[in-house]
Amino acid sequence: MQIWLMNRIQYPLITLVFFLFVVFFILYNVEDPFFNGVTFSSKKEPLLKSSHNENLTIPRNPPVPLDKSSTCHFTVKHSGRRAKWGSPVLESGGRRELLETCDYTSGKWVFDNTSHPLYNESDCPYMSDQVACQKYGRPDLDYQYWRWQPHNCNLKMWNSTEMWEKLRGKRLMFVGDSLNRGQWLSMVCLMQSVIPAEKQFMTQQDHLTSFRAEEYNASIEFLWAPFLVESNSDEPMGHRLPEKILRPDSNLRHSSRWIHADILVFNSYIWWRKGSVKLLWSSEENGVCEEIDGLSGMELAMDAWANWVESNVDPMKKVFFVTMSPTHLLKQEWEPGKRGNCYGEKLPIKNQTRETNLDLPTTLMMEKVLARLSSKVTVLNITRLTAHRKDGHPSIYRKFYGILSPEELANPASYSDCIHWCLPGVSDVWNELLFQFF
């Protein structure tokens, strides 16, 4: 780049500025490939305000925010300290009751190439290269045709127009990690086809991405917050860091955004499975971090999140928490004695009564935390029904931004994505379940 500048120093400044812009744009998409190929609106769309009145608790002297340059000067073992929240719990007008007449968690996957898929991959202009499996050469399409059928009832059929009417004048916000982002993208793809192209806008501001339908004055948004509380991985790009640092007693960075939404859909799980995390408390001024294992760290963060919800969220607001999305990284979990992962899988697990690849310790911890929020948070339990879908992952059928080695190319299972979900596919079913509560 220095040689380029030396040879062309006589070029006008505008040429240099344009070149740097192009380089930044390319690097941005390489760092965070999810939106590769998506054109964002240049029109400034005002953010909708919530129809509820919330009181946001703001500390008097907020600490310096964490970012990807944050470091621990010294690390010690976790002392057992918990996050404390001093704001009073808001009084509600009574417990919110959801009339759930259908136990959707008990059922089976039914092959249905008549009603599914609910949209075509190529018809969604916002489709991500991370989950566009058909675009990247997946030869079989059966993964798109499976429908979830509860045993003793039927799900209400998906209707995009009805859903928009439910969202009129409101903000629906998904908050969490890349799996929640996949569910958000699924919702956008499900909903965008009934909105005229000139009346829909996709905008991105920092770690908040918003799809807005002008005629409904409504938006479907995604807020990147993989740990729910503040962390050094909160930037949408460049968050693959060797050291994960959290501030479990602070979520102001995220809550200042999600407090204004009318409907919230939270998740958090997969990032907690990547080893231990480090805690840097707001009151710590010397950079001393405490180290804690992933499960304990998740419980600490979820406790802090639950305390915040209890203290700040109107009980009449719709708040959902999506349970764990199981991975299929080890074939032995559904075929004992077998090696491999989701690579090459084309059908759901045949024995759908078998409990497979379920993280029981995390499940029990989440149930304990969520139990005390029963009047404010609806649990969207997608874990068991998703566990059977070993066929629904991108595997090798997605865009890769690094160069694969000859050894990797010779062993496709070694670089298969068995965590995320192809679209159309499993994430659409999660939104079908969400639709039952509207």
Side-chain angles (χ1 to χ4, degrees), residues 230-399:
E230 183 183 343
S231 77
N232 65 339
S233 299
D234 287 341
E235 297 182 30
M237 60 177 184
H239 50 244
R240 296 180 180 179
L241 306 171
E243 187 175 62
K244 297 181 288 294
I245 305 174
L246 284 66
R247 186 164 279 149
D249 56 347
S250 173
N251 63 7
L252 182 61
R253 173 186 290 164
H254 305 311
S255 60
S256 62
R257 295 293 190 102
W258 76 50
I259 188 68
H260 300 298
D262 298 279
I263 305 162
L264 286 160
V265 182
F266 292 97
N267 95 313
S268 187
Y269 173 56
I270 200 66
W271 277 61
W272 299 103
R273 297 189 65 186
K274 298 180 180 181
S276 63
V277 297
K278 296 185 178 181
L279 313 176
L280 183 59
W281 298 91
S282 300
S283 58
E284 177 55 54
E285 298 179 353
N286 299 316
V288 178
C289 296
E290 297 181 343
E291 190 165 14
I292 192 170
D293 66 89
L295 176 59
S296 299
M298 183 179 180
E299 182 174 10
L300 195 64
M302 284 201 64
D303 268 334
W305 167 81
N307 289 341
W308 190 94
V309 170
E310 285 182 319
S311 301
N312 294 275
V313 175
D314 182 345
M316 301 310 295
K317 175 182 285 192
K318 288 184 182 293
V319 181
F320 298 88
F321 193 93
V322 182
T323 60
M324 300 173 298
S325 170
T327 67
H328 293 89
L329 298 168
L330 297 173
K331 192 170 186 175
Q332 65 184 14
E333 291 180 334
W334 64 89
E335 290 187 35
K338 297 287 186 177
R339 299 180 63 183
N341 54 25
C342 72
Y343 174 70
E345 297 292 342
K346 298 180 180 180
L347 295 171
I349 293 175
K350 188 174 182 180
N351 183 1
Q352 297 188 15
T353 60
R354 179 183 173 88
E355 296 291 332
T356 59
N357 61 316
L358 299 181
D359 186 343
L360 186 58
T362 303
T363 298
L364 295 174
M365 180 276 294
M366 291 174 64
E367 288 178 349
K368 181 180 71 173
V369 174
L370 291 168
R372 76 175 205 254
L373 297 173
S374 59
S375 65
K376 293 189 176 185
V377 176
T378 300
V379 179
L380 193 69
N381 192 339
I382 56 93
T383 303
R384 283 180 170 79
L385 62 95
T386 304
H388 303 303
R389 292 302 307 275
K390 59 183 172 62
D391 61 308
H393 298 285
S395 183
I396 64 172
Y397 303 109
R398 55 176 294 248
K399 187 170 185 176

Side-chain angles (χ1 to χ4, degrees), residues 398-422:
R398 55 176 294 248
K399 187 170 185 176
F400 289 90
Y401 290 83
I403 299 176
L404 298 171
S405 67
E407 292 75 19
E408 288 175 320
L409 291 172
N411 180 19
S414 66
Y415 62 93
S416 287
D417 181 349
C418 299
I419 295 175
H420 301 95
W421 301 97
C422 297

